[in-house]
Amino acid sequence: MENDFIVTTSYGASFKQQEKAKQVANYFDCPYIERGKSSLKKLIGASNGSLVVYKSELIFVHRDGSRLAFHPDTAMLRIKNGQDPLVDLLGQAPKRILDATMGLANDSLVMAFQGHSVTALEINPLIHLIVSSGLATYVSNFEPLTPVMRTIKTYHINSLDYLRRQENKAFDVVYFDPMFRQKLGSSPDFLGLRNLAEHRRVTVELIDEAKRVAKDYLIIKAYYKDSIFEDFGFERQERANTKFHYGILSAR
C-alpha cells in the first residue's frame, strides 16, 4: 500500500482526536487532513483510503467503500457456542501460543478465552494498529471477554523474523491462519481485511523455524481444497460441510 492513504477524524472531533490523528499521520508519514464538513469520499480522492480516528476506535475506509475495524463479534459467537474445533485441538491444559498471523485477532481471542497465553504477530502496520488498539481499549457487552482482550500481546513484525529471534521451544504451539487464496467472503469486514492483508505463502523455512520454536506442535487453518496441508506434512483435520480445515504438525 506504501502509505498511500490519508488520516482524518470523525465529524466534530475533539482536540484530543485531532492530536491523535496527527500523531498517527506522522507515524505513517502520510497526510493529515482536517475533516471539517467534507465527506470521506471527497477527502480520500485518488488515494487508497483513509484511517479515521473516532473517539473510541480507529477505522480504515478503503476507496472502494470496504472498511476495517476491530470488533470481537465473531470471536464472541464462537466462545458462546461452547464448542470450537480450534479449542478442541488445543486441549484444556493452558499453553503458550504464538499466533503468527493475527489479522482481526478472532482466533487469538478464542484461544486466550480458554486460558491460553497468546502472543500475536501482524506484518501489516495498519492492521496491527487498528487491532492492537481495539484489544487495549474495546469494552465488550459480553463482560468476560473484555479482560481477556488485555492479555494478548501483539507485535508488528514479519513472523519469520520474529521466529528467528526466539529460543528453541519458546512456545508450546505455533498457529498459522494465512489469508485464503480463494475469495471466501464478500462482507465489508472480510473485504476490508483482504484489501490490507499480506498474501504471502507459507514457506519451508517458516515451517522449519516454527517447528524449532514450538515445543509440541504447529496448527494451520486453510481452505479445504488447499494443498498446503499435504505440501508441508500437516495431518488434515477434516470437517464436514465447512470451507476450511485445520492441520496439525508435530514439532518433535
Side-chain angles (χ1 to χ4, degrees):
M1 181 171 239
E2 298 181 354
N3 296 356
D4 182 19
F5 60 90
I6 66 164
V7 179
T8 189
T9 64
S10 56
Y11 289 123
S14 65
F15 175 78
K16 184 177 181 180
Q17 279 177 257
Q18 293 173 340
E19 289 302 299
K20 183 174 182 179
K22 291 175 183 177
Q23 292 173 4
V24 172
N26 183 63
Y27 174 78
F28 285 107
D29 192 23
C30 62
Y32 163 72
I33 302 179
E34 289 191 16
R35 183 65 181 269
K37 297 182 179 180
S38 299
S39 67
L40 277 180
K41 184 176 181 179
K42 180 179 179 181
L43 293 181
I44 290 171
S47 68
N48 283 324
S50 174
L51 181 63
V52 185
V53 178
Y54 288 86
K55 183 177 180 180
S56 58
E57 65 179 336
L58 302 173
I59 298 179
F60 188 82
V61 180
H62 294 266
R63 186 169 56 187
D64 64 7
S66 61
R67 298 156 66 89
L68 179 69
F70 173 80
H71 54 77
D73 295 358
T74 300
M76 182 179 67
L77 289 174
R78 289 171 60 185
I79 291 166
K80 287 184 173 181
N81 184 48
Q83 186 174 9
D84 189 275
L86 179 56
V87 171
D88 293 343
L89 286 177
L90 291 169
Q92 294 183 350
K95 294 178 175 61
R96 301 164 299 160
I97 300 173
L98 177 65
D99 182 350
T101 48
M102 179 175 75
L104 293 176
N106 288 314
D107 290 321
S108 286
L109 279 168
V110 169
M111 293 187 288
F113 192 85
Q114 301 304 317
H116 303 295
S117 174
V118 179
T119 298
L121 313 178
E122 176 54 52
I123 189 172
N124 182 281
L126 263 176
I127 296 175
H128 179 264
L129 176 64
I130 291 169
V131 175
S132 62
S133 295
L135 289 170
T137 62
Y138 191 95
V139 178
S140 176
N141 292 329
F142 181 49
E143 293 183 6
L145 188 58
T146 298
V148 172
M149 296 182 202
R150 312 298 188 251
T151 68
I152 299 173
K153 299 177 182 178
T154 73
Y155 297 97
H156 163 226
I157 189 172
N158 179 297
S159 56
L160 179 58
D161 291 340
Y162 183 87
L163 286 166
R164 285 171 173 163
R165 300 174 187 177
Q166 304 310 302
E167 296 181 356
N168 294 347
K169 315 306 177 188
F171 293 87
D172 297 313
V173 176
V174 178
Y175 175 71
F176 294 100
D177 178 15
M179 178 60 69
F180 297 136
R181 289 177 290 179
Q182 294 77 9
K183 295 183 179 181
L184 302 184
S186 57
S187 70
D189 292 334
F190 182 85
L191 293 175
L193 177 63
R194 191 175 187 94
N195 284 339
L196 286 176
E198 300 283 338
H199 302 274
R200 298 188 177 188
R201 289 297 292 163
V202 173
T203 64
V204 171
E205 184 179 12
L206 183 65
I207 295 300
D208 285 346
E209 282 297 315
K211 288 174 68 176
R212 180 185 63 79
V213 171
K215 182 174 75 70
D216 297 330
Y217 51 87
L218 283 58
I219 298 178
I220 197 164
K221 181 168 76 173
Y223 184 56
Y224 77 104
K225 289 185 177 180
D226 202 319
S227 65
I228 196 169
F229 304 101
E230 293 73 28
D231 292 345
F232 295 97
F234 283 84
E235 181 182 348
R236 185 191 292 261
Q237 310 295 301
E238 296 190 7
R239 303 170 61 235
N241 304 316
T242 61
K243 294 286 188 180
F244 63 87
H245 290 165
Y246 289 99
I248 293 182
L249 178 63
S250 175
R252 298 174 181 173

